[in-house]
Each structure stands twice: as C-alpha cells, then as structure tokens.
Amino acid sequence: MVEASRPGASTTLLPRQRPVMSDTPLLQIQGITKAFGSVQALDDVDLEVRPGEVVAIVGDNGAGKSTLVKCIAGTHTADSGRILFEGQEVHIHGPKDAGRLGIEVVYQDLALCDNLDVVQNMYLGRELNRGQILSEAPMEQHTTETLKSLAVTTIKSVRQTVATLSGGQRQSVAVARAVMWNSKLVVLDEPTAALGVAQTEQVLALVRRLGQQGLGVILISHNLHDVFETADRIAVLRLGRNVGVFERLKTTQQAVVEAITAGKPTKVAGIPSAAPAGAGA
Amino acid sequence: MTSAEVVGPDRAPPLEEEQLPGGFRGAMERARLNLRTGNLGALPIIVGEIAVVILFGFTATNFFTSVNFVNLITESAGTAMLAYGVVFVLLLGEIDLSIGYLAGIGALIVAELQLPGSSWQMNGILAMLVAVAACAVIGGVQGSIVAFVGVPSFVVTLGGFLIWQGVILNKLQQRGTIIIQDRWINYTDAYIFSPTFGWLIAAIFTALYPGSVLYRKIVARGTQIAQQSWTSATLKTIGIGIAAFGTVAVANHGKIIETPEGLPLAGLIVVFFFVVLTFLAKWTTFGRHVYAVGGNAEAARRAGISVPRIRVLVFMISGATAGVGGIIFAAQVNSVALTFPPGNLLLNAIAAAVIGGVSLFGGRGEVRGALLGAILIGTLQNGLNTLNISNGWIYIVTGLVLLGAVTLDTVAVRLQARSGR
C-alpha cells in the first residue's frame, strides 16, 4: 500500500528550496485543444510554469480555466496538443498519474471529509499502514511537521475534526495535503472563493510560501486582487483561447481586465504574444 | 521562547492540546467539559441500561435470576450481530433492509445443509461457514447493485427484503419446519462454558481495552492519540471489568435443575465479533475508508479511494453478520420455521445501532453502539416480558426509547456544533 511518493521525504520542505525561478520549465502546455461536442472549451492553448513560480490563470466564466485544470489533472484528456513535465512529454490519464508525476490539485469545493480529523484528511487514501493496520504515530508526526513547515500555526490540534476548522484553516489543510506528497506542481482552483478577508490573506500567504519553497503553483481565480497579491505571471483565457500572458510587475489590473473581457487571441495571426498590455490605456 | 517567536509573527499557540490537570481531578474536569459541550459518548445508554436493570430488578421477580440473565444474553446476541452490520452500512450513509430475511436465509442454509440423510449433509461447522459465506455473497451482490449501478440502497435492499422473504416462504410452506439436530449449530446458542472458562473470557475481554491504550502509549509515544490520561483509562477499564465479570458472575451463579448455568457461547460470539469489527473500523485502512466515504464520498473518490469497493465490502459485512445472527436465532429454537425471523428483527437491529449513537447520515458512530443498543433493547423487552406486559406495550416502550435516544443524540450534536468541537 505504501506508494512511491512517501511523505517522509517531503515533510522537511525547507532543504528542498531551489533557486527561485529556474529556467527549465516545470510544466509546458503546447497547443492543447479540447471540445465537448460542438463546444470548443480549449482552442490551441499554451501555458508555461517554472519551478518557484506562481502562475495565475484568469478569465471569465466559460473561458476554459476549469477544463485546462482538468486536462492537467488527468480528469480530461485533451483532443490534441502536448503536455511536457520537466521537459518530457507526458500523458496524464487520471489523478493517480498526475500524483505520480508530482502534480496535485486542490479543488474549489475542498475535498475534505468533515467527520475526519486533520491527520486523517491529510493521509486520506494514502494512509500509512503495516499490513492493514494504520500507523497513526508517523502520520500524526508528519502532519504536524508539514503544517509547521508551511507556517500553518492557527490549527490548535491536528486531532480535531475538520468540521471544527474555519474556512481558511480547512483550505490550509487542503493545500498542505497537496504539498505533503512530494509534489512539484500544485494547482489551486479558486482557493479563496468562500473565505473572509483575514482568511483569504492567510491562504494567499500560504500560496506565496509554496512558490518560495520552489514549487510551481497554478492559481485559478476570479479575484484579481488575489492574483495581483500572489502571482508572478498572469495568463488570461477568453473563450478557450490565450489572450495574453502578463508579468505582474509590468502590468495593471485594468490591462488584465480588458484582456479578460475583450482580449484578442494572441496566436491567431501566427504572431504570438501581441499582449494587449500596451493597448490598454 | 525567543527562537519560537522568530518563526512567524502570527504564531498561534503550539499544536498540542491545552493541558488539563492530570489525575482524578483532571478526569473529572474533562468529564464536566464533555458534558457541557454535549460530548456524551456512550454515557447516556450505559446510564439507561443500569436504570432499566435496577427497575426490573425490583419490579419483576424472575428478572434478576441467572437463568433469565443467560436467556437475555442469547436473546440479545442475534440482534447485536445484525446491528454490527447495520453500523457499517449506516457509517456509509446507506441502509440495508434485507438483513432480517437474510438472517432467515442463513438459518435456512444451515438447516438444509445439516439435514440428516440428504446427499449434501455436512459437518455443522462447515455448514455454518457455508451459510455465512452465502449471506456475504448475497450482501455483496446487493452492494454491487448499489455501488456500480447506482440504485439507492433503500430500494435494492427493499427488493432483497421481499425476495428473501419469498424464498423462505416458498421453501418452508411446502416443507414445514426444519428441525436442526446438529449439535455444533445448536451450540451457538446453548453451549455453556464452565465457570472457570467464563472468568477467563471476562479477564481477556477486560484486558483488551487497557491493552490498546498501552499499545498506543508505547507505539505512538509523544503523539496526541497517545495522550489519554491514565485516570480515565483506569476508570473505563474498571467499568468494563465490572460489566464483564458481573455478567459472568451472574451467569455462573444459577442452575437449571441439575445442569449448572454459565456464560453461553452466544455471548462469546457477540464479544468476539465486537472486538474484531471494532478493530476493523478503528485500526485498519479499510475502516478509515468506510468513515471517509460516509463523511464525503466525493472527497474519498478524489483521494483515490475506490468507493464502490468499500460499498460492496460493507454490504458483504452486513450480509455476513446477518447470517451469523440468523444461525444464533435458529439455534435458540433448534429449528427454522415460517415464523422466522422472530419479531421485529430488522427494526430492532437498526434501532439498536441508532440508539447506540450511529448516525443515519453516515460517517459517525461506533461498533460498540450496536452492542450497547442491542443490550438495552434486549433488557427492555426481556424485562417487560417477565412482567407479563403485552407485546403492544413492549413495542411502544421500545419506540419511545428509540425516540428518546435519538433526540438526546441530536441535541448533543447541536451542543457540540455550538461549542465548536
């Protein structure tokens, strides 16, 4: 039952710190296309994430954000296009495949079991056991260490049920669980959608910390405030197409909003990256 | 202290739980805190059981005899077996209505297989194993329809309820009652252990709980699961010891004419399954997954747990425990007749689990709840019987107790939610 990615190696997150923003891309998506019947959900989409980089994917409803995430997670298989992970082409056919590569997805509606405690949730589906008997002690220790390494300090006891945690704490547990499994790329789907102001700050700080620890992070969000707080780069999708990638430090919220609402596909004329940043004001 | 502060400005209290004072005072304080926050555990049902025993002890002349006590154990044993299965099914948030007649199928199979003179006659022990396995398979088939096709378990097992009732009717209407002569099968109800063996069983059973506490304190040293206080562990051990040794003492005390009474095998079977199934639910990966699927099936699926596999296995457990219960009931009357299953078996089993604090909505409850609930229902019905109270009143009282227990539990859960625990 013990899987290839043991948590022992990953619980000490700090030594893993890599030089932030390495040049070899962690994830490269090239020309992904996906249609559901006559609906073109993704049309020739590119995306690149480097280690230690937080890339936000923004776009209006129906822009294809969720579909893109599902292609990365292996829930959907793209009709055409390539996915490269650490420079090698990969075919992801399900969450297990994604997990094996080091890709973890934290879903919007929090895949936690309310009736189980923090430790039980962190190890859900990947319990440590000898024979079939649960090894509670190492699970509890690794959970405590992982939360500490991510500076998630507001949770009083790792043995309280998740039902008793606040929204921000629950989201932190979900993120910590994704990180614990030796993951290299963490995909966060609307991590702050249901949170209050203070709790949102808590989660955004956690997202930044993931980047600082050398992980690649994809952040899906509606909320441009969150995006500008955390992301290094912002990829905008509109109607299933790339309409621009912005460096956070070189752009404005207004430029991004314009791209979301009225952006032109960047690859239509074969001229990539006609980013509408300049066309803004 | 200073080094800890460097880690982060928003540093909250460390991850350990607040320490309550140790020793007896600490235990009392913890108990008071639990009471106030509605974390009652098994306390109400144990208090209820004690109250019922005292009440009948004073009012019914034949209640507090060891003969009746042994009867009580064998009567409750079958219900408890079925209720164990109900716990697992309810933990998933499902229901199994077929177990009453599935118990009948189990009894029918052993009765057929032990029939002297038939070509398939086999040893009683083998016959029981075959019957229980068959019930597990039937449970598995019903579970598969729930898990893979997606038909609600209520409907699938309601179908099972009718089908197995029909099978029993067909079989026994033409055949009449089948007498069970095999001594091994009849032993499941009537075998009486010698007093010494009874004491031994009580000692082993009492030792299991402190044993598990010790195991955790040694193996999981330093973690929070090992943090149970010695006082509370000691008090609980004493409570379990009183119950176990008290049961054996009363059972050993009596005599039917010349044959000495003692702990019946049915009691040991129930205790054995209690230990095994508690272990399965609380200490194994499978048990953890059952709670996970009951708590949030979608989360469990995303975490890579095979939800259909868990569902099928749980319905197999439910079928198997029903089969065991059915055999015990058949052994009680040394036969299988059209009146099987006795009384409100299905509803009693579900009531036992629910009285024992198992939630109907999944994810919450423990195996011990089924045992305690079955004992309470058994005691009530036995006591009212010895008082010569009509069946109508027995149903009414059982119903009121069920209602009271669930109301108390609902209030307790609301209290817990309010106190954020």
Side-chain angles (χ1 to χ4, degrees), chain B residues 66 69-75 77 187-194 198 201 247-248 251-252 261-271:
Chain B
S66 63
F69 204 67
V70 172
N71 276 342
L72 173 57
I73 293 173
T74 56
E75 280 166 16
Y187 272 170
T188 57
D189 173 69
Y191 185 83
I192 297 293
F193 289 112
S194 74
I201 291 167
T247 306
V248 174
N252 280 347
E261 280 279 37
L263 184 73
L265 178 59
L268 181 64
I269 293 173
V270 166
V271 167

mmCIF file of all heavy atoms in Angstrom, chain B residues 66 69-75 77 187-194 198 201 247-248 251-252 261-271:
data_model
loop_
_atom_site.group_PDB
_atom_site.id
_atom_site.type_symbol
_atom_site.label_atom_id
_atom_site.label_comp_id
_atom_site.label_asym_id
_atom_site.label_seq_id
_atom_site.Cartn_x
_atom_site.Cartn_y
_atom_site.Cartn_z
ATOM 1 N N SER B 66 -30.199 -15.838 37.342
ATOM 2 C CA SER B 66 -29.149 -16.086 36.354
ATOM 3 C C SER B 66 -29.696 -16.824 35.139
ATOM 4 O O SER B 66 -29.179 -16.676 34.035
ATOM 5 C CB SER B 66 -27.992 -16.861 36.980
ATOM 6 O OG SER B 66 -28.421 -18.109 37.413
ATOM 7 N N PHE B 69 -30.911 -14.259 33.021
ATOM 8 C CA PHE B 69 -29.763 -13.482 32.553
ATOM 9 C C PHE B 69 -29.118 -14.153 31.343
ATOM 10 O O PHE B 69 -28.781 -13.498 30.358
ATOM 11 C CB PHE B 69 -28.756 -13.362 33.702
ATOM 12 C CG PHE B 69 -27.859 -12.186 33.564
ATOM 13 C CD1 PHE B 69 -28.361 -10.902 33.667
ATOM 14 C CD2 PHE B 69 -26.505 -12.352 33.316
ATOM 15 C CE1 PHE B 69 -27.539 -9.812 33.538
ATOM 16 C CE2 PHE B 69 -25.682 -11.259 33.182
ATOM 17 C CZ PHE B 69 -26.193 -9.990 33.296
ATOM 18 N N VAL B 70 -28.985 -15.477 31.434
ATOM 19 C CA VAL B 70 -28.419 -16.211 30.298
ATOM 20 C C VAL B 70 -29.358 -16.114 29.098
ATOM 21 O O VAL B 70 -28.918 -15.933 27.957
ATOM 22 C CB VAL B 70 -28.148 -17.678 30.692
ATOM 23 C CG1 VAL B 70 -27.737 -18.488 29.469
ATOM 24 C CG2 VAL B 70 -27.067 -17.739 31.741
ATOM 25 N N ASN B 71 -30.663 -16.199 29.354
ATOM 26 C CA ASN B 71 -31.641 -16.002 28.286
ATOM 27 C C ASN B 71 -31.454 -14.649 27.619
ATOM 28 O O ASN B 71 -31.486 -14.527 26.397
ATOM 29 C CB ASN B 71 -33.068 -16.059 28.850
ATOM 30 C CG ASN B 71 -33.552 -17.487 28.957
ATOM 31 O OD1 ASN B 71 -32.982 -18.366 28.326
ATOM 32 N ND2 ASN B 71 -34.573 -17.702 29.759
ATOM 33 N N LEU B 72 -31.294 -13.660 28.460
ATOM 34 C CA LEU B 72 -31.133 -12.291 27.963
ATOM 35 C C LEU B 72 -29.937 -12.200 27.019
ATOM 36 O O LEU B 72 -30.012 -11.574 25.953
ATOM 37 C CB LEU B 72 -30.959 -11.349 29.168
ATOM 38 C CG LEU B 72 -30.606 -9.901 28.892
ATOM 39 C CD1 LEU B 72 -31.632 -9.271 27.985
ATOM 40 C CD2 LEU B 72 -30.524 -9.139 30.200
ATOM 41 N N ILE B 73 -28.842 -12.852 27.410
ATOM 42 C CA ILE B 73 -27.645 -12.814 26.565
ATOM 43 C C ILE B 73 -27.926 -13.466 25.215
ATOM 44 O O ILE B 73 -27.635 -12.896 24.161
ATOM 45 C CB ILE B 73 -26.462 -13.524 27.258
ATOM 46 C CG1 ILE B 73 -26.033 -12.736 28.499
ATOM 47 C CG2 ILE B 73 -25.276 -13.652 26.292
ATOM 48 C CD1 ILE B 73 -24.996 -13.445 29.339
ATOM 49 N N THR B 74 -28.533 -14.655 25.230
ATOM 50 C CA THR B 74 -28.752 -15.341 23.958
ATOM 51 C C THR B 74 -29.794 -14.616 23.117
ATOM 52 O O THR B 74 -29.693 -14.574 21.892
ATOM 53 C CB THR B 74 -29.188 -16.802 24.182
ATOM 54 O OG1 THR B 74 -30.361 -16.818 25.003
ATOM 55 C CG2 THR B 74 -28.105 -17.598 24.868
ATOM 56 N N GLU B 75 -30.790 -14.004 23.769
ATOM 57 C CA GLU B 75 -31.800 -13.263 23.011
ATOM 58 C C GLU B 75 -31.203 -12.031 22.338
ATOM 59 O O GLU B 75 -31.534 -11.703 21.203
ATOM 60 C CB GLU B 75 -32.934 -12.799 23.933
ATOM 61 C CG GLU B 75 -33.946 -13.878 24.260
ATOM 62 C CD GLU B 75 -34.836 -13.459 25.429
ATOM 63 O OE1 GLU B 75 -34.867 -12.248 25.766
ATOM 64 O OE2 GLU B 75 -35.474 -14.340 25.996
ATOM 65 N N ALA B 77 -28.100 -11.622 21.577
ATOM 66 C CA ALA B 77 -26.928 -11.935 20.743
ATOM 67 C C ALA B 77 -27.238 -11.785 19.259
ATOM 68 O O ALA B 77 -26.492 -11.129 18.525
ATOM 69 C CB ALA B 77 -26.437 -13.349 21.039
ATOM 70 N N TYR B 187 -25.132 -25.537 19.465
ATOM 71 C CA TYR B 187 -24.204 -24.998 20.471
ATOM 72 C C TYR B 187 -24.093 -23.476 20.391
ATOM 73 O O TYR B 187 -23.823 -22.826 21.401
ATOM 74 C CB TYR B 187 -22.817 -25.594 20.266
ATOM 75 C CG TYR B 187 -22.584 -26.892 20.986
ATOM 76 C CD1 TYR B 187 -21.441 -27.654 20.722
ATOM 77 C CD2 TYR B 187 -23.487 -27.365 21.937
ATOM 78 C CE1 TYR B 187 -21.211 -28.849 21.378
ATOM 79 C CE2 TYR B 187 -23.260 -28.564 22.584
ATOM 80 C CZ TYR B 187 -22.132 -29.310 22.305
ATOM 81 O OH TYR B 187 -21.904 -30.470 22.948
ATOM 82 N N THR B 188 -24.245 -22.896 19.185
ATOM 83 C CA THR B 188 -24.042 -21.443 19.070
ATOM 84 C C THR B 188 -24.950 -20.703 20.040
ATOM 85 O O THR B 188 -24.650 -19.594 20.471
ATOM 86 C CB THR B 188 -24.342 -20.929 17.646
ATOM 87 O OG1 THR B 188 -25.677 -21.293 17.311
ATOM 88 C CG2 THR B 188 -23.364 -21.478 16.646
ATOM 89 N N ASP B 189 -26.074 -21.324 20.374
ATOM 90 C CA ASP B 189 -26.931 -20.699 21.371
ATOM 91 C C ASP B 189 -26.757 -21.338 22.738
ATOM 92 O O ASP B 189 -26.607 -20.650 23.744
ATOM 93 C CB ASP B 189 -28.396 -20.829 20.958
ATOM 94 C CG ASP B 189 -29.319 -20.343 22.055
ATOM 95 O OD1 ASP B 189 -29.314 -19.128 22.289
ATOM 96 O OD2 ASP B 189 -29.995 -21.175 22.678
ATOM 97 N N ALA B 190 -26.729 -22.660 22.794
ATOM 98 C CA ALA B 190 -26.948 -23.344 24.064
ATOM 99 C C ALA B 190 -25.678 -23.803 24.759
ATOM 100 O O ALA B 190 -25.742 -24.229 25.915
ATOM 101 C CB ALA B 190 -27.872 -24.540 23.844
ATOM 102 N N TYR B 191 -24.531 -23.757 24.096
ATOM 103 C CA TYR B 191 -23.343 -24.246 24.785
ATOM 104 C C TYR B 191 -23.004 -23.319 25.945
ATOM 105 O O TYR B 191 -22.936 -22.104 25.813
ATOM 106 C CB TYR B 191 -22.148 -24.335 23.832
ATOM 107 C CG TYR B 191 -20.943 -24.959 24.479
ATOM 108 C CD1 TYR B 191 -20.814 -26.333 24.560
ATOM 109 C CD2 TYR B 191 -19.949 -24.163 25.047
ATOM 110 C CE1 TYR B 191 -19.727 -26.909 25.182
ATOM 111 C CE2 TYR B 191 -18.859 -24.730 25.674
ATOM 112 C CZ TYR B 191 -18.755 -26.113 25.735
ATOM 113 O OH TYR B 191 -17.684 -26.675 26.364
ATOM 114 N N ILE B 192 -22.788 -23.956 27.118
ATOM 115 C CA ILE B 192 -22.483 -23.177 28.317
ATOM 116 C C ILE B 192 -21.044 -23.458 28.719
ATOM 117 O O ILE B 192 -20.641 -24.612 28.862
ATOM 118 C CB ILE B 192 -23.444 -23.600 29.467
ATOM 119 C CG1 ILE B 192 -24.882 -23.273 29.103
ATOM 120 C CG2 ILE B 192 -23.034 -22.947 30.775
ATOM 121 C CD1 ILE B 192 -25.187 -21.807 28.997
ATOM 122 N N PHE B 193 -20.274 -22.371 28.887
ATOM 123 C CA PHE B 193 -18.885 -22.553 29.304
ATOM 124 C C PHE B 193 -18.809 -22.890 30.785
ATOM 125 O O PHE B 193 -19.671 -22.482 31.566
ATOM 126 C CB PHE B 193 -18.071 -21.288 29.040
ATOM 127 C CG PHE B 193 -17.823 -21.042 27.585
ATOM 128 C CD1 PHE B 193 -18.409 -19.967 26.943
ATOM 129 C CD2 PHE B 193 -17.009 -21.896 26.855
ATOM 130 C CE1 PHE B 193 -18.185 -19.736 25.599
ATOM 131 C CE2 PHE B 193 -16.776 -21.668 25.514
ATOM 132 C CZ PHE B 193 -17.369 -20.587 24.884
ATOM 133 N N SER B 194 -17.773 -23.607 31.176
ATOM 134 C CA SER B 194 -17.544 -23.867 32.600
ATOM 135 C C SER B 194 -17.242 -22.531 33.284
ATOM 136 O O SER B 194 -16.767 -21.592 32.647
ATOM 137 C CB SER B 194 -16.373 -24.825 32.765
ATOM 138 O OG SER B 194 -15.176 -24.126 32.491
ATOM 139 N N GLY B 198 -15.457 -19.111 31.820
ATOM 140 C CA GLY B 198 -16.185 -17.848 31.831
ATOM 141 C C GLY B 198 -15.346 -16.722 32.415
ATOM 142 O O GLY B 198 -15.224 -15.643 31.833
ATOM 143 N N ILE B 201 -12.594 -15.700 30.031
ATOM 144 C CA ILE B 201 -13.072 -14.842 28.936
ATOM 145 C C ILE B 201 -13.279 -13.412 29.441
ATOM 146 O O ILE B 201 -12.877 -12.436 28.790
ATOM 147 C CB ILE B 201 -14.374 -15.403 28.337
ATOM 148 C CG1 ILE B 201 -14.069 -16.708 27.593
ATOM 149 C CG2 ILE B 201 -15.026 -14.400 27.394
ATOM 150 C CD1 ILE B 201 -15.289 -17.507 27.235
ATOM 151 N N THR B 247 -21.271 -9.938 34.484
ATOM 152 C CA THR B 247 -22.045 -10.818 33.601
ATOM 153 C C THR B 247 -21.719 -12.280 33.883
ATOM 154 O O THR B 247 -22.617 -13.113 34.069
ATOM 155 C CB THR B 247 -21.707 -10.494 32.130
ATOM 156 O OG1 THR B 247 -21.922 -9.105 31.912
ATOM 157 C CG2 THR B 247 -22.565 -11.306 31.188
ATOM 158 N N VAL B 248 -20.425 -12.584 33.916
ATOM 159 C CA VAL B 248 -20.014 -13.975 34.125
ATOM 160 C C VAL B 248 -20.439 -14.454 35.519
ATOM 161 O O VAL B 248 -20.902 -15.588 35.685
ATOM 162 C CB VAL B 248 -18.494 -14.119 33.933
ATOM 163 C CG1 VAL B 248 -18.033 -15.526 34.300
ATOM 164 C CG2 VAL B 248 -18.132 -13.815 32.489
ATOM 165 N N ALA B 251 -24.117 -15.180 35.484
ATOM 166 C CA ALA B 251 -24.383 -16.345 34.648
ATOM 167 C C ALA B 251 -23.924 -17.631 35.324
ATOM 168 O O ALA B 251 -24.590 -18.663 35.257
ATOM 169 C CB ALA B 251 -23.699 -16.184 33.294
ATOM 170 N N ASN B 252 -22.764 -17.572 35.973
ATOM 171 C CA ASN B 252 -22.219 -18.758 36.634
ATOM 172 C C ASN B 252 -23.035 -19.180 37.840
ATOM 173 O O ASN B 252 -22.928 -20.305 38.322
ATOM 174 C CB ASN B 252 -20.783 -18.492 37.102
ATOM 175 C CG ASN B 252 -19.800 -18.621 35.954
ATOM 176 O OD1 ASN B 252 -20.151 -19.136 34.898
ATOM 177 N ND2 ASN B 252 -18.588 -18.150 36.174
ATOM 178 N N GLU B 261 -25.567 -23.387 35.146
ATOM 179 C CA GLU B 261 -25.556 -22.366 34.112
ATOM 180 C C GLU B 261 -24.157 -21.777 34.008
ATOM 181 O O GLU B 261 -23.270 -22.076 34.817
ATOM 182 C CB GLU B 261 -26.555 -21.253 34.472
ATOM 183 C CG GLU B 261 -27.989 -21.613 34.129
ATOM 184 C CD GLU B 261 -28.322 -21.390 32.667
ATOM 185 O OE1 GLU B 261 -27.449 -21.639 31.824
ATOM 186 O OE2 GLU B 261 -29.443 -20.977 32.368
ATOM 187 N N GLY B 262 -23.985 -20.897 33.052
ATOM 188 C CA GLY B 262 -22.693 -20.240 32.871
ATOM 189 C C GLY B 262 -22.775 -19.348 31.659
ATOM 190 O O GLY B 262 -23.853 -19.158 31.093
ATOM 191 N N LEU B 263 -21.621 -18.797 31.257
ATOM 192 C CA LEU B 263 -21.592 -17.929 30.084
ATOM 193 C C LEU B 263 -21.927 -18.735 28.834
ATOM 194 O O LEU B 263 -21.296 -19.742 28.558
ATOM 195 C CB LEU B 263 -20.205 -17.309 29.949
ATOM 196 C CG LEU B 263 -20.047 -16.292 28.828
ATOM 197 C CD1 LEU B 263 -20.764 -15.004 29.184
ATOM 198 C CD2 LEU B 263 -18.592 -16.027 28.542
ATOM 199 N N PRO B 264 -22.939 -18.334 28.059
ATOM 200 C CA PRO B 264 -23.260 -19.080 26.849
ATOM 201 C C PRO B 264 -22.334 -18.710 25.699
ATOM 202 O O PRO B 264 -21.807 -17.590 25.649
ATOM 203 C CB PRO B 264 -24.699 -18.648 26.550
ATOM 204 C CG PRO B 264 -24.822 -17.302 27.147
ATOM 205 C CD PRO B 264 -23.859 -17.229 28.300
ATOM 206 N N LEU B 265 -22.162 -19.651 24.775
ATOM 207 C CA LEU B 265 -21.304 -19.410 23.611
ATOM 208 C C LEU B 265 -21.779 -18.195 22.807
ATOM 209 O O LEU B 265 -20.974 -17.440 22.276
ATOM 210 C CB LEU B 265 -21.269 -20.662 22.725
ATOM 211 C CG LEU B 265 -20.452 -20.571 21.441
ATOM 212 C CD1 LEU B 265 -19.001 -20.233 21.740
ATOM 213 C CD2 LEU B 265 -20.526 -21.870 20.654
ATOM 214 N N ALA B 266 -23.113 -18.026 22.757
ATOM 215 C CA ALA B 266 -23.646 -16.883 22.003
ATOM 216 C C ALA B 266 -23.021 -15.577 22.501
ATOM 217 O O ALA B 266 -22.696 -14.689 21.710
ATOM 218 C CB ALA B 266 -25.165 -16.830 22.134
ATOM 219 N N GLY B 267 -22.845 -15.477 23.829
ATOM 220 C CA GLY B 267 -22.232 -14.279 24.403
ATOM 221 C C GLY B 267 -20.815 -14.092 23.905
ATOM 222 O O GLY B 267 -20.398 -12.986 23.541
ATOM 223 N N LEU B 268 -20.076 -15.206 23.847
ATOM 224 C CA LEU B 268 -18.690 -15.112 23.391
ATOM 225 C C LEU B 268 -18.628 -14.730 21.910
ATOM 226 O O LEU B 268 -17.783 -13.936 21.501
ATOM 227 C CB LEU B 268 -17.972 -16.444 23.615
ATOM 228 C CG LEU B 268 -16.501 -16.446 23.201
ATOM 229 C CD1 LEU B 268 -15.707 -15.483 24.059
ATOM 230 C CD2 LEU B 268 -15.907 -17.839 23.272
ATOM 231 N N ILE B 269 -19.542 -15.293 21.121
ATOM 232 C CA ILE B 269 -19.569 -14.963 19.688
ATOM 233 C C ILE B 269 -19.763 -13.456 19.500
ATOM 234 O O ILE B 269 -19.057 -12.805 18.728
ATOM 235 C CB ILE B 269 -20.695 -15.738 18.965
ATOM 236 C CG1 ILE B 269 -20.387 -17.239 18.967
ATOM 237 C CG2 ILE B 269 -20.879 -15.237 17.536
ATOM 238 C CD1 ILE B 269 -21.510 -18.099 18.426
ATOM 239 N N VAL B 270 -20.717 -12.906 20.249
ATOM 240 C CA VAL B 270 -21.006 -11.478 20.142
ATOM 241 C C VAL B 270 -19.787 -10.645 20.543
ATOM 242 O O VAL B 270 -19.427 -9.680 19.869
ATOM 243 C CB VAL B 270 -22.227 -11.116 21.010
ATOM 244 C CG1 VAL B 270 -22.326 -9.615 21.195
ATOM 245 C CG2 VAL B 270 -23.488 -11.639 20.362
ATOM 246 N N VAL B 271 -19.128 -11.051 21.635
ATOM 247 C CA VAL B 271 -17.958 -10.313 22.094
ATOM 248 C C VAL B 271 -16.826 -10.435 21.077
ATOM 249 O O VAL B 271 -16.132 -9.458 20.769
ATOM 250 C CB VAL B 271 -17.519 -10.837 23.486
ATOM 251 C CG1 VAL B 271 -16.141 -10.329 23.831
ATOM 252 C CG2 VAL B 271 -18.523 -10.409 24.538
#
